[in-house]
């Protein structure tokens, strides 16, 4: 693979450090920030107080990381907020408003079953990187972040519907809200999934995009048993091409919704001031290999521009299609082996991973997952998120997804 771009991993003492993840990993035009817990970097402990104090510390840690790499909070393109209790959303909203006073990024908010260190909240960010990471070169200069909303989809004062930067659009997670009434649509999970996806489609249509431009979807479900019903609806929105995908069981969603859908979308023409010769519609490259589990609802890897998006991997043996025997350690090892097989099939390796997202059934097993991760990342550790979930597809104990560098990029359409 080409070494034209370079992964740029950095850390600062003004935010919590860990040997298990890097605080920020920049590649091409994005910085990927590890999910921040409400940890005081001086003491290494969770700050005193309730969810407001904890949310403030999470965001202060993100701000410290950004300042250490000459960025500011307005460079944040997306934030994801993991709460222990969905009822805490308003308190966290109030804190977020003090860190984003003039601009709000795209956003996803959900409640999970557990968080490391028994925290009440954890926040992660994806950040623009205008200078890029080509060694000794400015890449495309100071790109412009383009934030847009349409009245035809639900609007929120706490989030922008879509924020484009360089060759990606980041879509705020869509709830099953009727944009005319502002209320949840009537019906069950099928109707709600249809509304979520229709909201995504409407946002894309407002910026000249279509559903086939989606690179990755994340589906957050209140009940993991609803996945088959959601799949039926999903197939009507993606009849030919299926993006990379992750399905997560949540403890709660805003407005007590049953489902929420988040999308990452290609942006072939880029954001200005990219030169006209760069304003070409790049090709989405979706690939599968027989050496990792296949799923008709997702592509194993979808590359666009300088990133590969790997579908969340369950601990499935690709030869049998069944769960591997054993506990969390064996499950984590199979998930990472599947990711490694996918990467090798596209001439990549584990050191090309920029961000790792771990979904864990039992947070008490985090040390077992960490131990396995060190065998796959012996010299370099990517940015990372770990959350506890109440259930996973197939009753798995762990599920892992990855965002991977793609130094050579994807070609323009002929």
């Amino acid at each position: 693979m080409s070494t034209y771009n370079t992964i740029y991993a950095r850390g600062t003492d003004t935010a919590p450090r860990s040997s298990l993840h890097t605080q920020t990993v920049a590649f091409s035009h994005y910085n990927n920030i590890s999910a921040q817990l409400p940890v005081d970097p001086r003491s290494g402990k969770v700050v005193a107080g309730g969810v407001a104090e904890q949310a403030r510390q999470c965001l202060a840690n993100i701000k410290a990381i950004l300042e250490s790499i000459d960025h500011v909070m307005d460079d944040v393109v997306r934030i994801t907020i993991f709460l222990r209790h969905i009822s805490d959303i308003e308190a966290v909203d109030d804190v977020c408003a003090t860190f984003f006073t003039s601009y709000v990024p795209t956003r996803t908010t959900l409640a999970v079953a557990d968080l490391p260190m028994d925290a009440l909240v954890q926040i992660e960010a994806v950040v623009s990187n205008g200078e890029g990471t080509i060694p000794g070169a400015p890449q495309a200069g100071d790109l412009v972040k383009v934030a847009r909303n349409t009245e035809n989809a639900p609007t929120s004062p706490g989030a922008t519907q879509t924020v484009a930067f360089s060759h990606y659009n980041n879509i705020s997670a869509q709830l099953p809200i009727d944009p005319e009434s502002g209320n949840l649509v009537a019906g069950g999970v099928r109707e709600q999934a249809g509304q979520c996806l229709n909201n995504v489609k409407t946002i894309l249509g407002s910026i000249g995009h279509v559903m086939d431009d989606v690179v990755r979807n994340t589906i957050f479900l209140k009940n993991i048993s609803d996945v088959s019903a959601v799949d039926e609806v999903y197939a009507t929105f993606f009849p030919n091409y299926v993006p990379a995908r992750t399905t997560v069981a949540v403890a709660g969603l805003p407005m007590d919704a049953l489902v929420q859908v988040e999308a990452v979308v290609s942006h072939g023409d880029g954001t200005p001031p990219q030169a006209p010769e760069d304003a070409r519609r790049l090709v989405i490259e979706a690939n599968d290999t027989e050496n990792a589990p296949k799923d008709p609802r997702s592509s194993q890897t979808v590359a666009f521009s300088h990133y590969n998006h790997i579908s969340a991997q369950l601990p499935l043996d690709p030869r049998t299609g069944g769960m591997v025997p054993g506990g969390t350690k064996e499950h984590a090892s199979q998930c990472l082996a599947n990711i490694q097989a996918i990467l090798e099939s596209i001439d990549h390796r584990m050191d090309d991973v920029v961000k790792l997202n771990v979904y864990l059934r039992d947070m008490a097993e985090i040390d077992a997952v960490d131990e396995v991760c060190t065998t796959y990342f012996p010299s370099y550790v990517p940015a990372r998120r770990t959350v506890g979930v109440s259930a996973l597809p197939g009753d798995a104990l762990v599920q892992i997804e990855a965002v991977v560098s793609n130094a050579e990029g994807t070609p323009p359409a002929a």
Side-chain angles (χ1 to χ4, degrees):
M1 128 178 185
S2 166
T3 56
Y4 189 50
N5 277 308
T6 300
I7 285 178
Y8 199 9
R10 289 169 286 184
T12 174
D13 289 333
T14 57
R17 283 184 178 268
S18 171
S19 61
L20 302 170
H21 65 255
T22 302
Q23 289 172 353
T24 173
V25 179
F27 185 77
S28 187
H29 285 128
Y30 278 92
N31 289 286
N32 297 267
I33 310 297
S34 286
Q36 293 299 300
L37 289 162
V39 173
D40 182 332
R42 295 165 297 183
S43 69
K45 297 179 180 179
V46 172
V47 295
V51 71
E53 290 77 14
Q54 290 197 15
R56 189 171 294 109
Q57 186 64 52
C58 292
L59 288 164
N61 290 341
I62 290 172
K63 184 178 181 182
I65 292 167
L66 295 189
E67 289 175 348
S68 76
I69 58 173
D70 298 322
H71 281 264
V72 295
M73 291 297 279
D74 276 358
D75 292 332
V76 173
V77 174
R78 175 195 292 282
I79 61 168
T80 305
I81 300 172
F82 300 95
L83 293 168
R84 283 290 300 281
H85 309 290
I86 200 65
S87 58
D88 285 336
I89 191 170
E90 290 186 6
V92 174
D93 285 346
D94 290 342
V95 175
C96 283
T98 67
F99 283 85
F100 300 101
T101 56
S102 57
Y103 150 81
V104 287
T106 60
R107 180 169 148 179
T108 299
T109 305
L110 62 145
V112 293
D114 204 358
L115 289 169
M117 302 180 73
D118 203 29
L120 298 176
V121 61
Q122 178 177 246
I123 303 177
E124 72 176 20
V126 177
V127 183
S128 64
N129 191 37
E131 66 275 15
T133 52
I134 289 178
Q139 200 142 319
D142 294 326
L143 301 176
V144 175
K145 186 169 76 267
V146 180
R148 289 170 284 189
N149 288 313
T150 173
E151 294 297 328
N152 296 323
T155 57
S156 168
T160 301
Q161 288 171 353
T162 172
V163 177
F165 187 76
S166 186
H167 285 125
Y168 276 91
N169 285 287
N170 296 267
I171 311 297
S172 283
Q174 293 300 299
L175 289 163
I177 295 172
D178 178 341
E180 291 187 8
S181 67
N183 298 322
L184 293 185
V185 295
V189 72
R190 281 185 176 83
E191 291 76 15
Q192 291 199 12
Q195 187 65 50
C196 292
L197 288 162
N198 195 58
N199 289 341
V200 171
K201 184 177 181 180
T202 299
I203 293 167
L204 294 188
S206 75
I207 58 173
H209 283 266
V210 295
M211 292 297 274
D212 277 357
D213 292 332
V214 173
V215 175
R216 174 195 286 279
N217 281 317
T218 305
I219 298 175
F220 302 99
L221 281 174
K222 189 76 179 292
N223 302 302
I224 200 67
S225 58
D226 284 337
V227 68
S228 295
V230 172
D231 285 344
E232 292 177 16
V233 178
Y234 191 81
T236 67
F237 285 85
F238 299 98
N240 303 310
Y241 151 78
V242 284
R245 182 173 133 175
T246 299
T247 302
V248 180
V250 301
L253 289 169
M255 300 179 70
D256 202 28
L258 299 175
V259 61
Q260 180 176 244
V261 180
E262 173 189 276
V264 178
V265 183
S266 66
H267 192 51
D269 50 344
T271 51
Q274 287 173 325
E277 59 265 29
D278 292 329
R280 300 170 298 193
R281 193 167 185 79
L282 302 177
V283 174
I284 288 177
E285 293 183 337
N287 288 289
D288 287 318
T289 174
E290 298 293 337
N291 297 323
K294 288 189 174 184
D295 186 331
R297 293 166 294 275
S298 64
S299 296
Q300 289 171 354
T301 171
V302 178
F304 183 76
S305 186
H306 286 124
Y307 277 91
N308 287 287
H309 299 262
I310 311 299
S311 286
Q313 294 299 301
L314 290 163
L316 298 174
D317 183 330
R319 296 166 298 181
T320 66
M323 289 283 170
V324 296
T328 297
K329 188 177 291 187
E330 289 76 17
H331 278 204
S333 184
Q334 186 64 52
C335 292
L336 289 167
N338 290 339
I339 289 172
Q340 185 175 42
I342 294 168
L343 295 189
E344 289 175 350
S345 75
I346 56 172
D347 298 323
H348 283 263
R349 59 187 188 181
M350 294 298 276
D351 278 357
D352 294 329
V353 173
V354 174
K355 177 81 185 300
L356 206 65
N357 295 328
V358 178
Y359 301 95
L360 190 57
R361 277 277 302 279
D362 183 358
M363 191 57 71
E365 295 289 318
I366 191 170
D367 289 343
V369 175
D370 291 342
E371 184 180 337
V372 174
C373 282
T374 59
T375 67
Y376 283 86
F377 300 98
S379 56
Y380 151 77
V381 287
R384 183 169 146 183
R385 164 215 299 173
T386 303
V387 297
V389 294
S390 57
L392 286 167
D395 207 28
L397 299 177
V398 64
Q399 177 178 251
I400 303 177
E401 69 180 7
V403 179
V404 183
S405 64
N406 191 37
E408 66 274 20
T410 52

